Amino acid sequence: MTQLPRIVIVGAGFAGINAVKTLARCQAQVCLIDCNPYHSFIPLLYQVATGQLHPEQIGYPLGQLAQQYKNLEYRRGRVQGIDLDQKIVELERDAIAYDYLILATGAQAQFLGVSGAENHTFPLKTLEDAIALQQQILGCFTEAALTRNTEHSQHQLSFIIVGGGTTGVEMAGAIADLTENINKKFNTRLSPRIFLIHSQGQLLGEFSSELGEYTCKKLRRLGVKVHLDTKVQRVEDQQVHLDDGTILEGATIIWTAGVEANIPDLNHDFDTSLKGKIQVEPTLQIPGYPHAYAVGDLAYFEQGNRPLPGVAPTALQQGQTAAANIKRHLQGQAPQAFHYEDKGRAAIISRKIGLVQAPNLTLKGWVGWLLWLGIHWCYLPGWRNRLSVLQAWLRHTVFYRPAVLPRLKTISTEVKE
Ligand SMILES: Cc1cc2nc3c(=O)[nH]c(=O)nc-3n(C[C@H](O)[C@H](O)[C@H](O)COP(=O)(O)OP(=O)(O)OC[C@H]3O[C@@H](n4cnc5c(N)ncnc54)[C@H](O)[C@@H]3O)c2cc1C
């Protein structure tokens, strides 16, 4: 019996999962490797971090995915390195040989050389990060409600967010929403200080300047203190030093200022360009290794002389193209060049305020918010997750009840001096 060719996909993010779907029913064994037993729906991490959702609502079990596709095997493990010459993927205690490889390990937080940032801030890139942040944020609200020391309470309720891209904006708005939920539910008057620090003159730089200004106005109306054109010089324990000499103090510092490619050790030094990414061929192949593809956040690809954005649609489309090209190899055909179809972008500012900017469409306010919810809901994998997220969104929007709240009632009797 002839052995089927083995395609190894490293990383079960947007790119990896779409590659799996494209390779369903093809004449090959597909092996999907990820260090986690679930796919994380990253755009909703901020909702987990602020208690709007439970972590399991945005994690899709990979074992369940493997049951859907007969030719798919899921292996849990962290890939340490890849020998591109020998075509071997090295795990901690194992090694897997491949005929074709799709490398899709995404990105990790980038601290831009800012001293202290890595040690004293909370990044938001993985589900574990979101869980840690949720515990921190809810813990701070609890502590603030417990104490009679106004200074301590204010310190606990000072949140400093570094980075005014989509994640920073969404976090700032969601902490304001969380405060509203808590005050309504527990009849408190907690009033956090939310700082949003951005190095550019416009929030959400990938959107039009009009939408950037709109976002800034809406956040300021929610009480967020937006600092534009401001760089963080260094971070210390619960302190952020800005380049204009200001020192901000707060119990929670959230880092959303950037990401860089997250690539396991490769036995080859590539000409990695921007943010450590691998500059791929037009077909998404790794230069010099026609059997290996790099896709999603770790691949550098230009279209029309501009690098593609590190967003989910890029990863989804690249995962699909790489898989389709491997199918072409199997049929003896040449791989085809990748072409990105820009479907636009969307962001949420806070409850009932969102933005959508597509090639022929700009929406803001509650219509933009509804469309944002609709798009993300459709892309969320698994019907169980979709139904439970829909229910949570309804509760949050209509009844101001997120999935998780601090347990203020139970502690209201034990007050610290
Ligand atoms: C907080 C946040 C919010 C975002 N919001 C949006 C949004 O609203 N819309 C949008 O379009 N984009 C958004 N993005 C960007 C989007 O999430 C990424 O572009 C997209 O996830 C990239 O997909 P990927 O498949 O390349 O990598 P990822 O989705 O990051 O997946 C990488 C996978 O590889 C696995 N992995 C990593 N290293 C190893 C290893 N060594 N061994 C085994 N497995 C490994 C990880 O566990 C993970 O499952 C957001 C990003 C962040 C951080």
Side-chain angles (χ1 to χ4, degrees):
M1 212 170 73
T2 53
Q3 194 141 42
L4 291 175
R6 178 184 274 166
I7 304 166
V8 172
I9 302 171
V10 186
F14 287 101
I17 295 285
N18 231 22
V20 164
K21 289 181 185 163
T22 310
L23 290 167
R25 286 183 292 278
C26 86
Q27 287 299 305
Q29 289 173 276
V30 179
C31 175
L32 175 67
I33 306 174
D34 200 287
C35 45
N36 294 311
Y38 47 79
H39 159 81
S40 308
F41 193 78
I42 292 178
L44 295 184
L45 285 181
Y46 86 93
Q47 298 200 358
V48 172
T50 50
Q52 288 181 36
L53 293 175
H54 290 292
E56 61 273 18
Q57 288 175 302
I58 66 159
Y60 182 72
L62 295 174
Q64 203 170 314
L65 184 80
Q67 282 170 10
Q68 284 175 41
Y69 299 102
K70 278 204 181 118
N71 64 343
L72 176 66
E73 176 202 1
Y74 159 63
R75 293 279 283 270
R76 183 176 179 182
R78 182 169 291 280
V79 170
Q80 306 290 321
I82 298 173
D83 187 330
L84 292 166
D85 295 312
Q86 301 297 321
K87 296 197 201 160
I88 290 173
V89 170
E90 290 147 10
L91 295 154
E92 272 150 336
R93 288 187 209 89
D94 209 356
I96 300 173
Y98 63 82
D99 297 295
Y100 296 95
L101 172 76
I102 298 180
L103 184 56
T105 42
Q108 59 193 359
Q110 183 190 36
F111 296 98
L112 309 164
V114 174
S115 140
E118 192 165 355
N119 294 332
H120 300 297
T121 66
F122 286 85
L124 185 58
K125 188 64 196 72
T126 64
L127 203 48
E128 291 82 42
D129 294 341
I131 294 167
L133 207 40
Q134 186 193 88
Q135 284 169 355
Q136 167 71 12
I137 293 172
L138 298 187
C140 284
F141 274 98
T142 308
E143 184 76 17
L146 252 168
T147 182
R148 279 190 183 153
N149 180 331
T150 333
E151 218 173 282
H152 182 59
S153 167
Q154 193 181 56
H155 183 75
Q156 289 300 311
L157 289 184
S158 294
F159 300 93
I160 306 164
I161 302 161
V162 184
T166 314
T167 308
V169 164
E170 289 173 345
M171 275 305 296
I175 294 174
D177 285 348
L178 174 66
T179 312
E180 199 181 3
N181 297 333
I182 292 173
N183 285 339
K184 271 199 160 59
K185 165 94 179 153
F186 300 107
N187 208 15
T188 47
R189 280 201 229 138
L190 298 174
S191 165
R193 295 189 310 165
I194 307 165
F195 299 94
L196 181 60
I197 316 299
H198 191 48
S199 61
Q200 313 287 314
Q202 181 201 316
L203 293 177
L204 301 178
E206 65 279 24
F207 285 76
S208 69
S209 56
E210 188 216 329
L211 291 181
E213 278 165 33
Y214 173 83
T215 305
C216 192
K217 211 168 78 189
K218 289 289 175 192
L219 283 179
R220 284 188 169 141
R221 206 171 284 169
L222 287 169
V224 177
K225 297 172 198 330
V226 182
H227 291 244
L228 295 175
D229 285 318
T230 307
K231 286 202 169 100
V232 170
Q233 240 173 19
R234 68 173 194 279
V235 184
E236 288 173 10
D237 186 25
Q238 311 203 349
Q239 262 191 3
V240 174
H241 294 248
L242 304 180
D243 61 356
D244 59 8
T246 312
I247 301 173
L248 300 176
E249 299 206 347
T252 311
I253 306 167
I254 304 166
W255 189 266
T256 68
V259 291
E260 62 185 357
N262 168 33
I263 306 176
D265 274 352
L266 302 174
N267 65 321
H268 192 97
D269 283 337
F270 287 101
D271 178 17
T272 51
S273 46
L274 211 67
K275 297 180 179 178
K277 296 180 177 192
I278 301 174
Q279 188 151 15
V280 290
E281 304 278 7
T283 50
L284 304 177
Q285 285 158 302
I286 298 180
Y289 297 94
H291 292 81
Y293 286 79
V295 291
D297 273 2
L298 61 74
Y300 182 81
F301 189 96
E302 280 186 10
Q303 189 165 299
N305 291 327
R306 294 186 64 185
L308 291 187
V311 289
T314 309
L316 287 165
Q317 293 177 35
Q318 290 191 337
Q320 187 179 18
T321 299
N325 276 343
I326 291 176
K327 275 164 103 174
R328 293 178 66 83
H329 284 282
L330 297 175
Q331 289 157 2
Q333 297 168 354
Q336 286 184 333
F338 171 70
H339 180 81
Y340 177 63
E341 194 189 335
D342 186 2
K343 294 182 180 163
R345 51 203 60 209
I348 276 218
I349 300 170
S350 76
R351 196 189 336 250
K352 297 188 195 156
I353 310 175
L355 306 171
V356 174
Q357 183 179 293
N360 295 313
L361 178 79
T362 299
L363 296 173
K364 55 189 182 195
W366 69 268
V367 201
W369 170 77
L370 264 185
L371 195 56
W372 186 98
L373 294 183
I375 296 167
H376 286 78
W377 190 77
C378 288
Y379 277 101
L380 193 65
W383 275 103
R384 193 179 299 178
N385 291 33
R386 281 192 204 148
L387 290 176
S388 109
V389 164
L390 187 63
Q391 199 185 17
W393 283 349
L394 279 173
R395 271 166 48 112
H396 182 248
T397 310
V398 181
F399 303 110
Y400 293 79
R401 279 173 53 201
V404 196
L405 273 173
R407 300 180 62 198
L408 299 189
K409 258 194 182 149
T410 50
I411 56 166
S412 59
T413 47
E414 31 161 319
V415 175
K416 284 185 202 166
E417 288 302 328

